[in-house]
Amino acid sequence: MPELPEVEVLTRHLAPLLRGRKIDSVNVRRARIVLPDSPEKFSRRLSGARFVELSRRGKYLVFDLTASGRKIQLLGHLGMTGRMYLQRAKDALPKHAAVVFHLGAHNFVFEDTRYFGRLTFDTSALSRLGPEPLSDQFTTEAFSDALKRSTQPIKVKLLDQSVVAGVGNIYASEALFRAHISPRAAAHSLKPPQIARLRQAIRETLQDAVRHGSTVPLNYSGAGERDGLFYFGSAPGTPDFYEERLHVYDRAGKPCINCSARIKRIVQAARSTFYCPECQAPQRKIQ
DNA sequence: CACCATGTTCCTTG
DNA sequence: CCAAGGAACATGGT
């Protein structure tokens, strides 16, 4: 599920559904999700609390609640496979329901097959995040400063959440393709025009993905289906969204949409990177 | 059995 | 202290 666009769409979807809802009790079914709290402590802290607002920062969901008159914040992260949705209290829980909030007639479910996700009252991770890519904080200057001392390949550097918050493995490849920049280029080797282009490409890539995700008829609300994994396909009845979704990611061996060259897959920092060897050729040396 | 998968943190090494 | 690389976490799909 989770890079910035997916978390953004989920946040917009859930915010009005959760606002004002009271938590009767919380069932932690997988302890590691709420570490460093114990399941008991976590549940006790939230029982009787009320959801006030939900927002996003990078790939984190930020839950604002009130508990006996006091404001508390809960940070959520979906890891690789996390999902969150409301379902009717009488419906069966999924196999990998990690944490279940009981809200009267509904349950708010955090499902996570691989259990890499987190729910924590420790919000300190937020302070280590770089600027929001879609905000004015993400200037070419800030971006340039973050890149200038790094010898890492730019693709790897884009996954560093202190550079810019919310870009993950899929959109890193997509943004570099859009900017016509080689994923292998050392971060500090990018010239001002490339940095400006990449910044713009990141913003457009994420914005397009949010726009796309907002138009897919998600259904987290307990009507049976629990769709929302709009990375790997579209919701039923919207077959052609996927075609235009990702331009290079997971397209190794397929023709580039610009020049028909074969898309390549390489491994960088133990993650797959996809790129077009023609459109994203390494910079020619000037002298 | 092999390898791959949307992410982060911790440990080591330089 | 910092940057960078790799393993670990855990489950499922192909």
Side-chain angles (χ1 to χ4, degrees), chain A residues 175-210:
Chain A
L176 286 165
F177 175 75
R178 192 164 188 138
H180 302 294
I181 292 169
S182 167
R184 302 183 201 252
H188 69 220
S189 75
L190 297 202
K191 304 287 179 275
Q194 294 179 297
I195 294 174
R197 218 193 309 143
L198 182 53
R199 168 186 171 272
Q200 191 59 25
I202 289 168
R203 291 165 64 97
E204 289 172 1
T205 298
L206 297 177
Q207 213 146 181
D208 281 0
V210 170

mmCIF file of all heavy atoms in Angstrom, chain A residues 175-210:
data_model
loop_
_atom_site.group_PDB
_atom_site.id
_atom_site.type_symbol
_atom_site.label_atom_id
_atom_site.label_comp_id
_atom_site.label_asym_id
_atom_site.label_seq_id
_atom_site.Cartn_x
_atom_site.Cartn_y
_atom_site.Cartn_z
ATOM 1 N N ALA A 175 9.951 9.039 -10.685
ATOM 2 C CA ALA A 175 10.339 10.450 -10.737
ATOM 3 C C ALA A 175 11.614 10.643 -11.556
ATOM 4 O O ALA A 175 11.728 11.594 -12.329
ATOM 5 C CB ALA A 175 10.529 10.992 -9.322
ATOM 6 N N LEU A 176 12.571 9.711 -11.406
ATOM 7 C CA LEU A 176 13.812 9.823 -12.177
ATOM 8 C C LEU A 176 13.550 9.643 -13.664
ATOM 9 O O LEU A 176 14.171 10.305 -14.500
ATOM 10 C CB LEU A 176 14.835 8.793 -11.672
ATOM 11 C CG LEU A 176 15.449 9.156 -10.316
ATOM 12 C CD1 LEU A 176 16.146 7.952 -9.695
ATOM 13 C CD2 LEU A 176 16.435 10.325 -10.471
ATOM 14 N N PHE A 177 12.637 8.761 -13.988
ATOM 15 C CA PHE A 177 12.269 8.578 -15.392
ATOM 16 C C PHE A 177 11.661 9.873 -15.942
ATOM 17 O O PHE A 177 12.014 10.337 -17.023
ATOM 18 C CB PHE A 177 11.264 7.427 -15.514
ATOM 19 C CG PHE A 177 10.731 7.233 -16.906
ATOM 20 C CD1 PHE A 177 11.513 6.652 -17.889
ATOM 21 C CD2 PHE A 177 9.434 7.639 -17.231
ATOM 22 C CE1 PHE A 177 11.027 6.473 -19.178
ATOM 23 C CE2 PHE A 177 8.939 7.456 -18.518
ATOM 24 C CZ PHE A 177 9.730 6.880 -19.492
ATOM 25 N N ARG A 178 10.778 10.433 -15.179
ATOM 26 C CA ARG A 178 10.113 11.669 -15.590
ATOM 27 C C ARG A 178 11.105 12.816 -15.777
ATOM 28 O O ARG A 178 10.923 13.666 -16.641
ATOM 29 C CB ARG A 178 9.077 12.041 -14.538
ATOM 30 C CG ARG A 178 8.124 13.120 -14.933
ATOM 31 C CD ARG A 178 6.937 13.103 -13.985
ATOM 32 N NE ARG A 178 5.904 14.003 -14.422
ATOM 33 C CZ ARG A 178 4.608 13.712 -14.384
ATOM 34 N NH1 ARG A 178 4.194 12.539 -13.935
ATOM 35 N NH2 ARG A 178 3.712 14.579 -14.792
ATOM 36 N N ALA A 179 12.159 12.802 -14.949
ATOM 37 C CA ALA A 179 13.153 13.874 -15.014
ATOM 38 C C ALA A 179 14.291 13.563 -15.993
ATOM 39 O O ALA A 179 15.184 14.379 -16.188
ATOM 40 C CB ALA A 179 13.729 14.123 -13.622
ATOM 41 N N HIS A 180 14.255 12.371 -16.597
ATOM 42 C CA HIS A 180 15.320 11.943 -17.521
ATOM 43 C C HIS A 180 16.681 11.952 -16.848
ATOM 44 O O HIS A 180 17.664 12.463 -17.401
ATOM 45 C CB HIS A 180 15.367 12.827 -18.773
ATOM 46 C CG HIS A 180 14.088 12.845 -19.543
ATOM 47 N ND1 HIS A 180 13.583 11.726 -20.180
ATOM 48 C CD2 HIS A 180 13.202 13.835 -19.754
ATOM 49 C CE1 HIS A 180 12.441 12.051 -20.761
ATOM 50 N NE2 HIS A 180 12.175 13.323 -20.511
ATOM 51 N N ILE A 181 16.742 11.418 -15.645
ATOM 52 C CA ILE A 181 18.010 11.375 -14.912
ATOM 53 C C ILE A 181 18.345 9.922 -14.587
ATOM 54 O O ILE A 181 17.469 9.152 -14.173
ATOM 55 C CB ILE A 181 17.925 12.222 -13.623
ATOM 56 C CG1 ILE A 181 17.803 13.709 -13.996
ATOM 57 C CG2 ILE A 181 19.127 11.985 -12.719
ATOM 58 C CD1 ILE A 181 17.460 14.606 -12.836
ATOM 59 N N SER A 182 19.604 9.569 -14.764
ATOM 60 C CA SER A 182 20.036 8.208 -14.477
ATOM 61 C C SER A 182 19.971 7.929 -12.984
ATOM 62 O O SER A 182 20.459 8.722 -12.173
ATOM 63 C CB SER A 182 21.469 7.998 -14.958
ATOM 64 O OG SER A 182 21.969 6.786 -14.419
ATOM 65 N N PRO A 183 19.402 6.788 -12.610
ATOM 66 C CA PRO A 183 19.342 6.434 -11.185
ATOM 67 C C PRO A 183 20.713 6.210 -10.582
ATOM 68 O O PRO A 183 20.873 6.251 -9.366
ATOM 69 C CB PRO A 183 18.529 5.132 -11.183
ATOM 70 C CG PRO A 183 18.658 4.571 -12.566
ATOM 71 C CD PRO A 183 18.781 5.769 -13.470
ATOM 72 N N ARG A 184 21.717 5.977 -11.446
ATOM 73 C CA ARG A 184 23.066 5.707 -10.951
ATOM 74 C C ARG A 184 23.873 6.968 -10.675
ATOM 75 O O ARG A 184 24.939 6.900 -10.057
ATOM 76 C CB ARG A 184 23.864 4.900 -11.976
ATOM 77 C CG ARG A 184 23.263 3.579 -12.374
ATOM 78 C CD ARG A 184 24.254 2.941 -13.337
ATOM 79 N NE ARG A 184 23.652 1.927 -14.168
ATOM 80 C CZ ARG A 184 23.887 0.633 -14.011
ATOM 81 N NH1 ARG A 184 24.678 0.229 -13.040
ATOM 82 N NH2 ARG A 184 23.326 -0.239 -14.816
ATOM 83 N N ALA A 185 23.416 8.089 -11.151
ATOM 84 C CA ALA A 185 24.185 9.320 -10.962
ATOM 85 C C ALA A 185 24.393 9.581 -9.472
ATOM 86 O O ALA A 185 23.468 9.441 -8.671
ATOM 87 C CB ALA A 185 23.440 10.493 -11.596
ATOM 88 N N ALA A 186 25.619 9.948 -9.101
ATOM 89 C CA ALA A 186 25.875 10.287 -7.699
ATOM 90 C C ALA A 186 25.050 11.515 -7.328
ATOM 91 O O ALA A 186 24.973 12.477 -8.107
ATOM 92 C CB ALA A 186 27.360 10.564 -7.498
ATOM 93 N N ALA A 187 24.458 11.491 -6.152
ATOM 94 C CA ALA A 187 23.587 12.599 -5.736
ATOM 95 C C ALA A 187 24.289 13.950 -5.863
ATOM 96 O O ALA A 187 23.724 14.909 -6.382
ATOM 97 C CB ALA A 187 23.107 12.382 -4.306
ATOM 98 N N HIS A 188 25.539 14.020 -5.436
ATOM 99 C CA HIS A 188 26.255 15.302 -5.448
ATOM 100 C C HIS A 188 26.684 15.746 -6.837
ATOM 101 O O HIS A 188 27.174 16.860 -7.007
ATOM 102 C CB HIS A 188 27.449 15.264 -4.486
ATOM 103 C CG HIS A 188 28.555 14.363 -4.939
ATOM 104 N ND1 HIS A 188 29.249 13.560 -4.070
ATOM 105 C CD2 HIS A 188 29.082 14.108 -6.153
ATOM 106 C CE1 HIS A 188 30.164 12.868 -4.746
ATOM 107 N NE2 HIS A 188 30.067 13.188 -6.014
ATOM 108 N N SER A 189 26.506 14.852 -7.810
ATOM 109 C CA SER A 189 26.927 15.207 -9.169
ATOM 110 C C SER A 189 25.824 15.909 -9.961
ATOM 111 O O SER A 189 26.066 16.405 -11.059
ATOM 112 C CB SER A 189 27.362 13.944 -9.923
ATOM 113 O OG SER A 189 26.234 13.178 -10.305
ATOM 114 N N LEU A 190 24.617 15.951 -9.424
ATOM 115 C CA LEU A 190 23.517 16.582 -10.162
ATOM 116 C C LEU A 190 23.730 18.096 -10.245
ATOM 117 O O LEU A 190 24.076 18.740 -9.262
ATOM 118 C CB LEU A 190 22.169 16.301 -9.498
ATOM 119 C CG LEU A 190 21.687 14.850 -9.409
ATOM 120 C CD1 LEU A 190 20.175 14.812 -9.237
ATOM 121 C CD2 LEU A 190 22.077 14.032 -10.618
ATOM 122 N N LYS A 191 23.517 18.623 -11.441
ATOM 123 C CA LYS A 191 23.691 20.055 -11.673
ATOM 124 C C LYS A 191 22.357 20.771 -11.383
ATOM 125 O O LYS A 191 21.305 20.142 -11.414
ATOM 126 C CB LYS A 191 24.088 20.293 -13.127
ATOM 127 C CG LYS A 191 25.341 19.534 -13.551
ATOM 128 C CD LYS A 191 26.595 20.163 -12.937
ATOM 129 C CE LYS A 191 27.844 19.414 -13.339
ATOM 130 N NZ LYS A 191 28.137 18.242 -12.478
ATOM 131 N N PRO A 192 22.442 22.068 -11.100
ATOM 132 C CA PRO A 192 21.220 22.816 -10.756
ATOM 133 C C PRO A 192 20.020 22.570 -11.666
ATOM 134 O O PRO A 192 18.907 22.393 -11.163
ATOM 135 C CB PRO A 192 21.690 24.275 -10.795
ATOM 136 C CG PRO A 192 23.127 24.198 -10.386
ATOM 137 C CD PRO A 192 23.647 22.900 -10.977
ATOM 138 N N PRO A 193 20.219 22.527 -12.992
ATOM 139 C CA PRO A 193 19.030 22.284 -13.830
ATOM 140 C C PRO A 193 18.421 20.906 -13.588
ATOM 141 O O PRO A 193 17.197 20.753 -13.622
ATOM 142 C CB PRO A 193 19.568 22.383 -15.266
ATOM 143 C CG PRO A 193 20.905 23.009 -15.173
ATOM 144 C CD PRO A 193 21.425 22.752 -13.790
ATOM 145 N N GLN A 194 19.286 19.924 -13.312
ATOM 146 C CA GLN A 194 18.779 18.573 -13.047
ATOM 147 C C GLN A 194 18.062 18.516 -11.713
ATOM 148 O O GLN A 194 17.032 17.848 -11.579
ATOM 149 C CB GLN A 194 19.936 17.576 -13.033
ATOM 150 C CG GLN A 194 20.621 17.407 -14.371
ATOM 151 C CD GLN A 194 21.771 16.419 -14.239
ATOM 152 O OE1 GLN A 194 22.720 16.675 -13.507
ATOM 153 N NE2 GLN A 194 21.663 15.304 -14.928
ATOM 154 N N ILE A 195 18.606 19.210 -10.749
ATOM 155 C CA ILE A 195 17.976 19.227 -9.425
ATOM 156 C C ILE A 195 16.588 19.869 -9.522
ATOM 157 O O ILE A 195 15.616 19.359 -8.971
ATOM 158 C CB ILE A 195 18.866 19.984 -8.411
ATOM 159 C CG1 ILE A 195 20.166 19.195 -8.206
ATOM 160 C CG2 ILE A 195 18.142 20.180 -7.089
ATOM 161 C CD1 ILE A 195 21.201 19.888 -7.348
ATOM 162 N N ALA A 196 16.521 20.947 -10.243
ATOM 163 C CA ALA A 196 15.229 21.623 -10.411
ATOM 164 C C ALA A 196 14.249 20.717 -11.140
ATOM 165 O O ALA A 196 13.062 20.634 -10.781
ATOM 166 C CB ALA A 196 15.430 22.924 -11.190
ATOM 167 N N ARG A 197 14.747 20.023 -12.143
ATOM 168 C CA ARG A 197 13.892 19.134 -12.928
ATOM 169 C C ARG A 197 13.415 17.955 -12.080
ATOM 170 O O ARG A 197 12.255 17.548 -12.148
ATOM 171 C CB ARG A 197 14.687 18.626 -14.134
ATOM 172 C CG ARG A 197 13.874 18.518 -15.408
ATOM 173 C CD ARG A 197 14.617 17.726 -16.466
ATOM 174 N NE ARG A 197 15.980 18.229 -16.646
ATOM 175 C CZ ARG A 197 17.022 17.455 -16.893
ATOM 176 N NH1 ARG A 197 16.888 16.138 -16.997
ATOM 177 N NH2 ARG A 197 18.218 17.975 -17.052
ATOM 178 N N LEU A 198 14.317 17.418 -11.288
ATOM 179 C CA LEU A 198 13.957 16.268 -10.453
ATOM 180 C C LEU A 198 12.954 16.670 -9.375
ATOM 181 O O LEU A 198 12.007 15.933 -9.094
ATOM 182 C CB LEU A 198 15.210 15.658 -9.823
ATOM 183 C CG LEU A 198 14.999 14.406 -8.963
ATOM 184 C CD1 LEU A 198 14.223 13.327 -9.719
ATOM 185 C CD2 LEU A 198 16.331 13.851 -8.479
ATOM 186 N N ARG A 199 13.156 17.816 -8.796
ATOM 187 C CA ARG A 199 12.207 18.311 -7.797
ATOM 188 C C ARG A 199 10.806 18.420 -8.414
ATOM 189 O O ARG A 199 9.818 17.952 -7.846
ATOM 190 C CB ARG A 199 12.644 19.687 -7.292
ATOM 191 C CG ARG A 199 11.578 20.387 -6.471
ATOM 192 C CD ARG A 199 12.009 21.810 -6.120
ATOM 193 N NE ARG A 199 10.910 22.549 -5.519
ATOM 194 C CZ ARG A 199 10.006 23.235 -6.208
ATOM 195 N NH1 ARG A 199 10.066 23.274 -7.530
ATOM 196 N NH2 ARG A 199 9.045 23.878 -5.590
ATOM 197 N N GLN A 200 10.762 18.999 -9.570
ATOM 198 C CA GLN A 200 9.472 19.146 -10.248
ATOM 199 C C GLN A 200 8.882 17.781 -10.598
ATOM 200 O O GLN A 200 7.680 17.545 -10.447
ATOM 201 C CB GLN A 200 9.665 20.003 -11.512
ATOM 202 C CG GLN A 200 8.373 20.461 -12.167
ATOM 203 C CD GLN A 200 7.508 21.296 -11.232
ATOM 204 O OE1 GLN A 200 8.015 21.925 -10.288
ATOM 205 N NE2 GLN A 200 6.197 21.287 -11.455
ATOM 206 N N ALA A 201 9.737 16.879 -11.044
ATOM 207 C CA ALA A 201 9.273 15.537 -11.426
ATOM 208 C C ALA A 201 8.723 14.782 -10.215
ATOM 209 O O ALA A 201 7.717 14.077 -10.322
ATOM 210 C CB ALA A 201 10.416 14.751 -12.058
ATOM 211 N N ILE A 202 9.371 14.939 -9.076
ATOM 212 C CA ILE A 202 8.883 14.290 -7.857
ATOM 213 C C ILE A 202 7.494 14.826 -7.523
ATOM 214 O O ILE A 202 6.551 14.064 -7.247
ATOM 215 C CB ILE A 202 9.852 14.551 -6.670
ATOM 216 C CG1 ILE A 202 11.157 13.775 -6.873
ATOM 217 C CG2 ILE A 202 9.205 14.173 -5.342
ATOM 218 C CD1 ILE A 202 12.279 14.185 -5.931
ATOM 219 N N ARG A 203 7.358 16.123 -7.579
ATOM 220 C CA ARG A 203 6.063 16.738 -7.246
ATOM 221 C C ARG A 203 4.969 16.283 -8.203
ATOM 222 O O ARG A 203 3.865 15.920 -7.784
ATOM 223 C CB ARG A 203 6.200 18.267 -7.255
ATOM 224 C CG ARG A 203 7.054 18.776 -6.105
ATOM 225 C CD ARG A 203 7.497 20.212 -6.295
ATOM 226 N NE ARG A 203 6.416 21.171 -6.314
ATOM 227 C CZ ARG A 203 6.019 21.883 -5.256
ATOM 228 N NH1 ARG A 203 6.616 21.726 -4.097
ATOM 229 N NH2 ARG A 203 5.036 22.760 -5.366
ATOM 230 N N GLU A 204 5.280 16.276 -9.478
ATOM 231 C CA GLU A 204 4.257 15.888 -10.467
ATOM 232 C C GLU A 204 3.903 14.405 -10.364
ATOM 233 O O GLU A 204 2.741 14.028 -10.476
ATOM 234 C CB GLU A 204 4.751 16.231 -11.876
ATOM 235 C CG GLU A 204 4.778 17.721 -12.143
ATOM 236 C CD GLU A 204 5.457 18.087 -13.459
ATOM 237 O OE1 GLU A 204 5.907 17.180 -14.191
ATOM 238 O OE2 GLU A 204 5.542 19.297 -13.747
ATOM 239 N N THR A 205 4.935 13.594 -10.159
ATOM 240 C CA THR A 205 4.707 12.150 -10.047
ATOM 241 C C THR A 205 3.781 11.846 -8.868
ATOM 242 O O THR A 205 2.816 11.079 -8.993
ATOM 243 C CB THR A 205 6.048 11.417 -9.859
ATOM 244 O OG1 THR A 205 6.865 11.655 -11.003
ATOM 245 C CG2 THR A 205 5.839 9.922 -9.705
ATOM 246 N N LEU A 206 4.082 12.457 -7.730
ATOM 247 C CA LEU A 206 3.274 12.191 -6.531
ATOM 248 C C LEU A 206 1.873 12.772 -6.688
ATOM 249 O O LEU A 206 0.881 12.156 -6.298
ATOM 250 C CB LEU A 206 3.963 12.767 -5.293
ATOM 251 C CG LEU A 206 5.333 12.160 -4.956
ATOM 252 C CD1 LEU A 206 5.953 12.863 -3.758
ATOM 253 C CD2 LEU A 206 5.217 10.655 -4.691
ATOM 254 N N GLN A 207 1.822 13.946 -7.269
ATOM 255 C CA GLN A 207 0.522 14.592 -7.435
ATOM 256 C C GLN A 207 -0.388 13.787 -8.369
ATOM 257 O O GLN A 207 -1.566 13.616 -8.108
ATOM 258 C CB GLN A 207 0.725 16.009 -7.974
ATOM 259 C CG GLN A 207 -0.298 16.961 -7.475
ATOM 260 C CD GLN A 207 0.266 18.370 -7.269
ATOM 261 O OE1 GLN A 207 -0.436 19.227 -6.859
ATOM 262 N NE2 GLN A 207 1.538 18.606 -7.559
ATOM 263 N N ASP A 208 0.198 13.313 -9.446
ATOM 264 C CA ASP A 208 -0.556 12.476 -10.375
ATOM 265 C C ASP A 208 -1.068 11.217 -9.693
ATOM 266 O O ASP A 208 -2.196 10.774 -9.926
ATOM 267 C CB ASP A 208 0.317 12.063 -11.570
ATOM 268 C CG ASP A 208 0.446 13.176 -12.589
ATOM 269 O OD1 ASP A 208 -0.138 14.257 -12.374
ATOM 270 O OD2 ASP A 208 1.142 12.957 -13.606
ATOM 271 N N ALA A 209 -0.197 10.644 -8.852
ATOM 272 C CA ALA A 209 -0.583 9.407 -8.178
ATOM 273 C C ALA A 209 -1.709 9.657 -7.168
ATOM 274 O O ALA A 209 -2.610 8.835 -7.022
ATOM 275 C CB ALA A 209 0.624 8.777 -7.485
ATOM 276 N N VAL A 210 -1.660 10.786 -6.498
ATOM 277 C CA VAL A 210 -2.746 11.130 -5.569
ATOM 278 C C VAL A 210 -4.036 11.330 -6.361
ATOM 279 O O VAL A 210 -5.096 10.823 -5.985
ATOM 280 C CB VAL A 210 -2.420 12.411 -4.774
ATOM 281 C CG1 VAL A 210 -3.651 12.894 -4.002
ATOM 282 C CG2 VAL A 210 -1.267 12.166 -3.817
#
